[in-house]
Amino acid sequence: MSESGDISEFGYIMELLARGKVTIKNIERELICPACKELFTHPLILPCQHSICHKCVKELLLMLDDSFNDVGSDNSNQSSPRIRLPSPSMDKIDRISRPGWKRNSLTPRTTTFPCPGCEHDVDLGERGINGLFRNFTLETIVERYRQAARAATAIMCDLCKPPPQESTKSCMDCSASYCNECFKIYHPWGTVKAQHEYVGPTTNFRPKILMCPEHETERINMYCELCRRPVCHLCKLGGNHSNHRVTTMSSAYKTLKEKLSKDIDYLIGKESQVKSQISELNLLMKETECNGERAKEEAITHFEKLFEILEERKSSVLKAIDASKKLRLDKFQTQMEEYQGLLENNGLVGYAQEVLKETDQSCFVQTAKQLHLRIQKATESLKSFRPAAQTSFEDYVVNTSKQTELLGELSFFSSGIDVPEINEEQSKVYNNALINWHHPEKDKADSYVLEYRKINRDEEMLSWNEIEVCGTSKVISDLESNCNYAFRVRAYKGSVCSPCSRELILHTPPAPVFSFLFDEKCGYNNEHLLLNLKRNHVESRAGFNLLLAAERIQVGYYTSLDYIIGDVGITKGKHFWAFRVEPYSYLVKVGVASSDKLQEWLRTPRDTVSPRYEQDSGHDSGSEDTCFDSSQPFTLVTIGMKKFFIPKSPTSSNEPENRVLPMPTSIGVFLDYDKGKVGFYDMDHMKCLYERQVDCSHTMYPAFALMGSGGIQLEEPITAKYLEYQETM
């Protein structure tokens, strides 16, 4: 599309807007980037036809690059062994801008990009940013808006000596602004520069000819109707658009211009109808505001009634407690006075001493009989001391569990929308939290609001965070490690809201998730182990080679372990990773090992080392009962036959049956390199099954070993699911 064509189209649009008495300031919201919320700067057109600033695309891709490399791993932990630059660097930006941007050959980098305009993921293709067109028309409109907003600010000449003069025209070929004198000097009559195209003063310079981003030397001269973007003849002949339907640029220009003109004419012709609907919307807004305030007042009234009932019950309960307390204290006081009377020269004892002074026998006998009975009673109480009342108020503990549950479910009257239910089996937490829920099809909601909050150790509840979701699943990121989080969801249908679902409590891993793949080079035995292309699943096959090796069992031959390790080592910090052991596995050993220990294992001849002398070997050879150092450069636990075996230490008194647990669905490993500690977790409940010290004086690697049939699958990081997005013509 030529420059003159774009200018004429823009002028036509501006003329129509002027006829509708619409100032350029009224279209400001159409000129705001959905990412940075500022005026567009060099906007790019995404495949979904939304525009976004060039710098915003790069920044978002940089964020995605960091999250991909971390895959949830210690992206905020400075103790991570992977070095992170404090700010995006130019080499990183260039790498993102280059075509075919990938992590490595086996783990290709995804080219999807989350559009902030439509909130869908779009495919940028192999060329990435370089395959996107600049929206020159939008850029021109933004420039006109800026000029209108700063009418008092002049554009100065770029060639004047200080102080520069105000420019009167701008040359589109030179991409510079000139005052009258400088324009005559640099564009003299009779030269080629005199033929340059010039416009009024502007800071927006764009090429006169639109070139193809995929074939940089080819001009755009066609329009792909399927992809709805301009293309060149090479794109049609052998490129991505070879099987697409295309039309000439002039035909597409004419068609789209007619459609746009008709649409604008229609909208301008319906101005009175639009104003009427705006007035109706204003009335609806006022009515909504009044009804909302009335609903708030009614809700306050209901809660005040509940407060009154609670205050009444509170007063009654406190009075009962005070009455019981007073009665018990009175009994204790009476009993204490009686015991004080037993003291010498006090009370009963003092009175008895005075009675003993009586010399008249008849008078003494008359008084002493009753006194003797009282003293006998006091003596018996000394022999069997019993408090006159109970100190415990267990019978006065208020049970509010049912009321608390009912108050937690307190909501509006039934609105006809069923409560969504969180699917606990499909919801999980790893590097991020994945929450899934389902809703009856007959009550399909328009949208949902997912709420979550952190639960402190003292069960203190923080405020809820809310996220609006269109589907029935959501990935929550930026959760703190080793914390409990509560999740709940409610549905919206129109303006009606359902009650909240029951809360789901999930516990995050004890450390940031560590990202690695199986190493196909170091110690990998391709005769016994089968590694998939993604390098996240390994399988051990008990095949023909194992049967041949079994011939030597009579002479003491044994079947050794086949080791495989992670491709990334750990030199500091806290890290966590998880995996699944296939249920059919016979014997699998998992854990961590230092680099020097791995070299010893992998370099030792396979037929000379006996597992009897290898700690945590997994065999009932007695090795686990021998003493070993409290800290060693490796720790491996044995898993097999759907069981998890806890190693026995010399100081442990656990019986064998207490050391054999059911194999968890998913197993996690937590390594604290700085403290030299490793733990093994049940991922379903985030419960530590076994923990011990480990010597971390060298680089530590995730280590795995298999014997016989078995398989290990690394847990895949939880990332946002890419939504299906299809453009309709």
Side-chain angles (χ1 to χ4, degrees):
M1 190 181 297
S2 66
E3 172 74 13
S4 59
D6 285 335
I7 294 298
S8 62
E9 178 187 3
F10 176 76
Y12 178 72
I13 295 174
M14 297 304 294
E15 181 182 353
L16 291 174
L17 291 172
R19 277 198 288 144
K21 298 181 180 179
V22 179
T23 62
I24 195 168
K25 291 185 178 181
N26 295 107
I27 65 172
E28 179 178 357
R29 67 177 183 177
E30 302 294 333
L31 311 180
I32 300 296
C33 173
C36 62
K37 307 301 180 183
E38 297 179 358
L39 288 175
F40 282 106
T41 304
H42 304 304
L44 300 177
I45 304 176
L46 298 175
C48 58
Q49 302 303 309
H50 291 99
S51 296
I52 183 174
C53 294
H54 185 261
K55 61 181 179 63
C56 294
V57 176
K58 286 187 174 181
E59 290 174 359
L60 288 173
L61 285 176
L62 286 171
M63 293 171 58
L64 292 175
D65 180 39
D66 286 337
S67 63
F68 177 80
N69 287 334
D70 291 336
V71 197
S73 173
D74 207 1
N75 52 1
S76 61
N77 189 358
Q78 297 300 323
S79 63
S80 173
R82 301 181 179 191
I83 301 175
R84 294 277 178 260
L85 294 177
S87 60
S89 58
M90 290 307 298
D91 62 330
K92 211 171 184 186
I93 293 177
D94 293 339
R95 176 164 52 85
I96 291 176
S97 302
R98 287 198 300 268
W101 174 40
K102 297 180 178 180
R103 187 189 185 196
N104 57 46
S105 59
L106 292 176
T107 56
R109 176 70 169 107
T110 177
T111 56
T112 54
F113 176 80
C115 173
C118 59
E119 298 183 352
H120 287 87
D121 291 314
V122 294
D123 191 355
L124 299 184
E126 295 182 356
R127 292 181 57 81
I129 298 178
N130 290 340
L132 300 178
F133 281 104
R134 276 178 65 181
N135 194 338
F136 289 111
T137 301
L138 176 59
E139 207 168 321
T140 304
I141 297 175
V142 170
E143 178 61 24
R144 296 290 180 92
Y145 172 81
R146 283 181 173 155
Q147 290 184 9
R150 65 184 183 206
T153 304
I155 298 176
M156 309 308 292
C157 177
D158 295 327
L159 281 301
C160 275
K161 294 182 180 180
Q165 301 295 318
E166 181 178 345
S167 63
T168 56
K169 54 180 67 70
S170 296
C171 179
M172 303 304 294
D173 295 273
C174 301
S175 299
S177 298
Y178 301 88
C179 64
N180 286 331
E181 295 299 326
C182 289
F183 187 80
K184 294 177 181 178
I185 295 173
Y186 291 97
H187 296 77
W189 289 104
T191 63
V192 177
K193 287 190 175 183
Q195 307 299 322
H196 285 187
E197 179 183 356
Y198 61 91
V199 295
T202 182
T203 57
N204 179 37
F205 301 99
R206 65 185 193 182
K208 299 176 65 176
I209 301 174
L210 202 59
M211 308 301 290
C212 178
E214 296 188 14
H215 309 95
E216 299 177 356
T217 59
E218 299 296 327
R219 298 175 56 178
I220 292 297
N221 54 8
M222 298 181 186
Y223 183 79
C224 178
E225 295 182 354
L226 180 62
C227 301
R228 299 200 297 180
R229 62 176 292 169
V231 296
C232 69
H233 69 282
L234 291 181
C235 294
K236 174 59 179 173
L237 290 177
N240 297 330
H241 308 270
S242 57
N243 296 324
H244 297 177
R245 182 180 175 182
V246 299
T247 184
T248 62
M249 187 60 67
S250 59
S251 176
Y253 172 76
K254 182 179 179 181
T255 302
L256 293 175
K257 184 174 181 179
E258 289 178 356
K259 288 182 179 180
L260 182 60
S261 302
K262 289 180 180 179
D263 292 341
I264 294 177
D265 285 333
Y266 176 81
L267 291 177
I268 294 176
K270 297 292 183 178
E271 183 177 359
S272 58
Q273 181 180 348
V274 173
K275 289 182 178 179
S276 175
Q277 292 174 351
I278 291 175
S279 300
E280 184 178 354
L281 289 174
N282 285 326
L283 293 176
L284 292 175
M285 289 174 62
K286 292 180 180 179
E287 184 178 353
T288 301
E289 187 174 354
C290 294
N291 292 338
E293 292 298 325
R294 189 181 300 111
K296 284 176 60 177
E297 293 175 0
E298 293 178 356
I300 292 173
T301 302
H302 288 299
F303 277 102
E304 287 178 348
K305 289 181 180 179
L306 290 177
F307 294 154
E308 291 176 2
I309 296 174
L310 288 174
E311 285 294 335
E312 181 181 349
R313 295 301 302 159
K314 174 183 174 182
S315 176
S316 176
V317 168
L318 293 181
K319 285 181 180 179
I321 294 175
D322 287 338
S324 178
K325 182 180 71 172
K326 184 178 183 303
L327 178 62
R328 298 182 189 191
L329 291 176
D330 290 343
K331 290 183 178 181
F332 281 127
Q333 183 65 32
T334 302
Q335 187 178 22
M336 186 174 63
E337 290 175 355
E338 290 179 356
Y339 275 84
Q340 285 179 345
L342 300 180
L343 299 176
E344 186 177 1
N345 300 326
N346 285 321
L348 183 62
V349 175
Y351 176 65
Q353 290 175 343
E354 293 297 325
V355 171
L356 288 175
K357 296 177 181 180
E358 178 63 48
T359 58
D360 189 292
Q361 295 181 356
S362 58
C363 292
F364 176 81
V365 170
Q366 181 183 10
T367 306
K369 181 62 177 178
Q370 183 183 7
L371 179 61
H372 183 254
L373 294 175
R374 291 178 61 189
I375 290 177
Q376 279 186 330
K377 185 177 180 181
T379 303
E380 292 176 358
S381 66
L382 286 174
K383 294 179 180 179
S384 58
F385 175 75
R386 181 176 299 174
Q390 294 182 353
T391 58
S392 173
F393 279 78
E394 293 179 354
D395 296 337
Y396 288 85
V397 176
V398 180
N399 183 8
T400 61
S401 57
K402 293 183 179 180
Q403 291 76 9
T404 302
E405 184 177 356
L406 290 174
L407 288 174
E409 297 177 356
L410 184 64
S411 184
F412 306 104
F413 288 115
S414 177
S415 56
I417 304 180
D418 289 342
V419 180
E421 297 181 6
I422 295 181
N423 191 326
E424 297 186 11
E425 294 182 357
Q426 297 182 5
S427 299
K428 61 179 181 178
V429 64
Y430 191 36
N431 60 314
N432 296 319
L434 173 62
I435 308 299
N436 275 281
W437 60 90
H438 54 83
H439 205 224
E441 195 67 28
K442 61 183 180 68
D443 291 324
K444 194 68 176 179
D446 298 331
S447 62
Y448 300 89
V449 171
L450 176 63
E451 300 179 345
Y452 68 97
R453 65 181 176 184
K454 177 184 173 183
I455 304 176
N456 290 340
R457 296 185 183 275
D458 53 358
E459 296 187 357
E460 178 186 356
M461 297 291 187
L462 303 178
S463 59
W464 290 97
N465 299 296
E466 295 186 354
I467 300 178
E468 186 174 356
V469 186
C470 295
T472 56
S473 64
K474 182 64 179 178
V475 173
I476 307 296
S477 57
D478 299 328
L479 300 180
E480 295 183 23
S481 300
N482 199 24
C483 293
N484 284 319
Y485 281 87
F487 300 87
R488 69 185 186 185
V489 64
R490 63 178 186 269
Y492 278 88
K493 192 172 185 179
S495 58
V496 182
C497 172
S498 75
C500 289
S501 66
R502 288 185 176 273
E503 294 183 12
L504 172 65
I505 307 297
L506 294 178
H507 191 88
T508 56
V513 171
F514 182 63
S515 172
F516 68 91
L517 299 172
F518 287 123
D519 194 335
E520 81 281 15
K521 297 178 181 179
C522 182
Y524 173 64
N525 184 359
N526 56 9
E527 293 182 359
H528 295 172
L529 299 180
L530 179 63
L531 188 62
N532 67 346
L533 292 177
K534 292 183 178 180
R535 294 195 289 131
N536 62 356
H537 182 273
V538 65
E539 184 178 3
S540 174
R541 292 184 174 180
F544 188 67
N545 293 332
L546 183 60
L547 294 177
L548 293 177
E551 292 180 346
R552 285 177 280 178
I553 289 180
Q554 288 89 347
V555 294
Y557 182 80
Y558 72 97
T559 302
S560 62
L561 294 169
D562 292 304
Y563 287 95
I564 188 169
I565 65 173
D567 63 349
V568 181
I570 299 173
T571 58
K572 56 184 174 181
K574 299 179 180 180
H575 305 275
F576 184 85
W577 61 91
F579 51 87
R580 298 191 305 273
V581 176
E582 301 295 349
Y584 63 82
S585 301
Y586 170 66
L587 190 151
V588 173
K589 300 182 74 63
V590 297
V592 295
S594 65
S595 55
D596 59 336
K597 191 64 179 180
L598 288 170
Q599 291 177 4
E600 176 186 336
W601 286 345
L602 300 176
R603 290 178 179 177
T604 303
R606 299 171 59 83
D607 296 342
T608 60
V609 178
S610 170
R612 182 174 183 84
Y613 303 103
E614 186 63 65
Q615 173 60 29
D616 289 339
S617 65
H619 296 268
D620 292 331
S621 58
S623 64
E624 291 179 348
D625 297 331
T626 60
C627 293
F628 56 87
D629 295 336
S630 60
S631 180
Q632 54 191 15
F634 72 98
T635 293
L636 299 174
V637 297
T638 303
I639 303 168
M641 302 177 67
K642 299 183 180 180
K643 301 294 181 182
F644 182 93
F645 299 89
I646 298 178
K648 183 179 180 180
S649 63
T651 59
S652 174
S653 60
N654 291 343
E655 296 298 327
E657 56 269 16
N658 296 330
R659 296 192 292 115
V660 180
L661 305 176
M663 184 180 73
T665 306
S666 182
I667 302 169
V669 179
F670 168 48
L671 176 64
D672 189 338
Y673 186 95
D674 300 329
K675 293 184 178 180
K677 186 182 296 184
V678 62
F680 298 85
Y681 282 73
D682 179 355
M683 280 288 292
D684 293 337
H685 306 92
M686 204 58 70
K687 176 184 176 182
C688 184
L689 304 176
Y690 174 65
E691 186 178 64
R692 66 156 295 164
Q693 294 294 123
V694 62
D695 181 9
C696 293
S697 56
H698 296 82
T699 302
M700 305 299 291
Y701 288 86
F704 307 85
L706 301 92
M707 187 175 76
S709 296
I712 302 174
Q713 172 71 53
L714 298 180
E715 282 287 353
E716 295 186 3
I718 299 174
T719 56
K721 292 185 177 180
Y722 297 125
L723 303 176
E724 295 292 336
Y725 183 70
Q726 296 180 348
E727 287 286 347
T728 57
M729 295 299 295

